[in-house]
Structure formats: structure tokens, C-alpha cells
Amino acid sequence: MLELDNVSKSFWTGSQRKVILEGASLRVTRGRSIGILAPNGTGKTTLIRMMAGLEKPDAGDIRRNCRVSFPLGFMGGVVKKISAMENARYIARLYGLDPDYVESFCRWLCDLGEYFDQPLGTYSQGMKARFTFSLMLALDFDLYLIDEGMPSSTDVGFNRRAGDILQDRLRTTTIVIVSHQPKTLAKFAREAAVMLNGQLRHFDSLDEAKQLYDYETQT
């Protein structure tokens, strides 16, 4: 359903070449959510953006045979000059969904009150995160992409509501989540991969992945 085939990605920092992936392959199959362990600064966000199609690999192929979400917290698909209400209805039409439903769902989940009818440019970072997460959950995807590095909300009520919905979606959808903390992955995935030194090593269990991750990052 989502496959990375011999994918390479790197950046030139001005003094050296930073390798994100070097000939890495990974297959995510329907119904088998996966967590990816990676230390901070190794390119977790870049990996998620490539999976979503927002960035291209330098080499190799990324095949998507399903409806893949934009990354949790991604603001590139919304317009800051218009309100959350207008954004929700616009995005709904792009995906062929009922604008009334998407607006109502986001308005309820965000719980932003009168701010929902004000331009996104007036929002705090936390408010933006609540809206984009709500928008992602309002849309119908086969695979959801979650980057731990994306902005998160400090609103306890929102986190509880959104978390319950996301857990319920696990029954019918697949999740790919990247994080530097194994306990974060444990909430969503049974199997995992480790992203280190440009490689993606897949394991059948999170415990196996954690053993390699702890050994490589603590020695």
C-alpha cells in the first residue's frame, strides 16, 4: 500500500553532505501500523514528507497504492488569510466530501469558539495544530502520517477527543508514526523500523526495534 524502494535522500549543509536515506526500502501494508524510531536531527520530518509526496527522493521510488494523508500538523494545504470554516469547506470540496460535514466535524473537534470564523493568520501555533489535526481526521484516508516533530496542542480536552478518534480509526486504517521515543510509538503500532545512518531496518515487533535503537544511540 505504501512502499519505499531503494530510496536515497541527502542535503548539502554548506560544509558536508547530510544523509537522510541511502538506498533504503520499506513496505507498509494495509492494517499493519508501523512506528519508525529515529533520533532527533536525522530527518524524521523529511521522511514523512517524502511518504506524503511533499518532497521527492534523490533516487529510488515511493509507491502509494492508497489514500495517504498529509502529515499531522502540515500547514501547507491551508490558507492563512481565510478562516478555519472557509478552509474546511474548501478542502472538503477538493476531496469530494460534504462541506457541511467537514466544517461541523472540525468546528466540534477544534472547539475554538469564535476563532473558528477568523483568519488562520490570527491563530497561535497550538490553535493551528488543533485545526489541521481536526481537518486530517475529518478526511477519509487509508493511511495516516504522524510526525512527532509537528506542533502539538496543550489543550487536554482536545487531545483526549482527538486521541479517542485516532484510536478508533486504527480499526480500519493504517498509521505510520515517526518518533525518537519508543513509548510514543507503542500507543499506535506493534511493529517498527529504526532509521539510523541512512538505513531503515524493519522489525516485527517494537521491542526488537527498541533493542537496536537503544544500543546504537546509547553507545
Side-chain angles (χ1 to χ4, degrees):
M1 101 185 262
L2 175 66
E3 185 174 8
L4 279 68
D5 184 9
N6 202 32
V7 169
S8 296
K9 183 71 173 181
S10 63
F11 296 100
W12 180 252
T13 65
S15 60
Q16 60 182 347
R17 178 171 171 259
K18 179 179 179 180
V19 176
I20 306 299
L21 292 175
E22 190 72 57
S25 297
L26 180 71
R27 177 179 293 177
V28 181
T29 57
R30 188 179 183 90
R32 296 180 67 89
S33 294
I34 184 170
I36 299 176
L37 281 168
N40 288 327
T42 56
K44 297 190 297 296
T45 297
T46 299
L47 173 61
I48 283 289
R49 287 176 61 86
M50 286 195 295
M51 287 181 170
L54 299 174
E55 287 193 32
K56 293 183 178 180
D58 298 334
D61 296 313
I62 299 179
R63 293 184 283 272
R64 306 170 193 84
N65 298 315
C66 62
R67 295 164 296 177
V68 180
S69 79
F70 47 85
L72 166 60
F74 175 63
M75 293 295 293
V78 296
V79 182
K80 296 181 180 180
K81 293 182 179 180
I82 63 177
S83 68
M85 182 271 289
E86 293 169 306
N87 270 288
R89 299 184 71 85
Y90 171 70
I91 296 296
R93 293 188 184 96
L94 287 181
Y95 282 88
L97 300 175
D98 181 2
D100 290 340
Y101 165 75
V102 174
E103 177 194 341
S104 298
F105 180 92
C106 291
R107 190 181 290 273
W108 164 75
L109 185 55
C110 284
D111 193 24
L112 294 174
E114 62 183 12
Y115 283 100
F116 196 82
D117 298 302
Q118 297 182 14
L120 264 64
T122 65
Y123 287 16
S124 67
Q125 197 71 7
M127 292 165 66
K128 292 176 185 176
R130 284 160 66 179
F131 173 63
T132 53
F133 194 10
S134 299
L135 186 58
M136 184 183 75
L137 291 178
L139 305 179
D140 187 19
F141 295 110
D142 298 313
L143 189 151
Y144 286 87
L145 301 173
I146 302 177
D147 178 2
E148 174 197 54
M150 294 298 181
S152 60
S153 172
T154 57
D155 185 275
V156 176
F158 170 80
N159 289 340
R160 182 174 60 251
R161 293 191 302 274
D164 289 344
I165 293 170
L166 194 56
Q167 285 290 344
D168 186 64
R169 294 284 172 86
L170 278 171
R171 301 175 184 176
T172 56
T173 62
T174 306
I175 289 176
V176 175
I177 177 171
V178 295
S179 175
H180 71 285
Q181 294 184 325
K183 65 179 182 180
T184 300
L185 305 186
K187 300 176 183 178
F188 303 101
R190 292 285 184 268
E191 59 185 86
V194 177
M195 179 180 172
L196 280 171
N197 303 318
Q199 302 298 312
L200 272 175
R201 295 187 58 184
H202 179 260
F203 296 87
D204 291 332
S205 72
L206 178 57
D207 285 341
E208 291 177 284
K210 183 177 180 297
Q211 288 180 16
L212 174 65
Y213 181 75
D214 288 345
Y215 175 79
E216 293 288 347
T217 58
Q218 294 177 12
T219 57

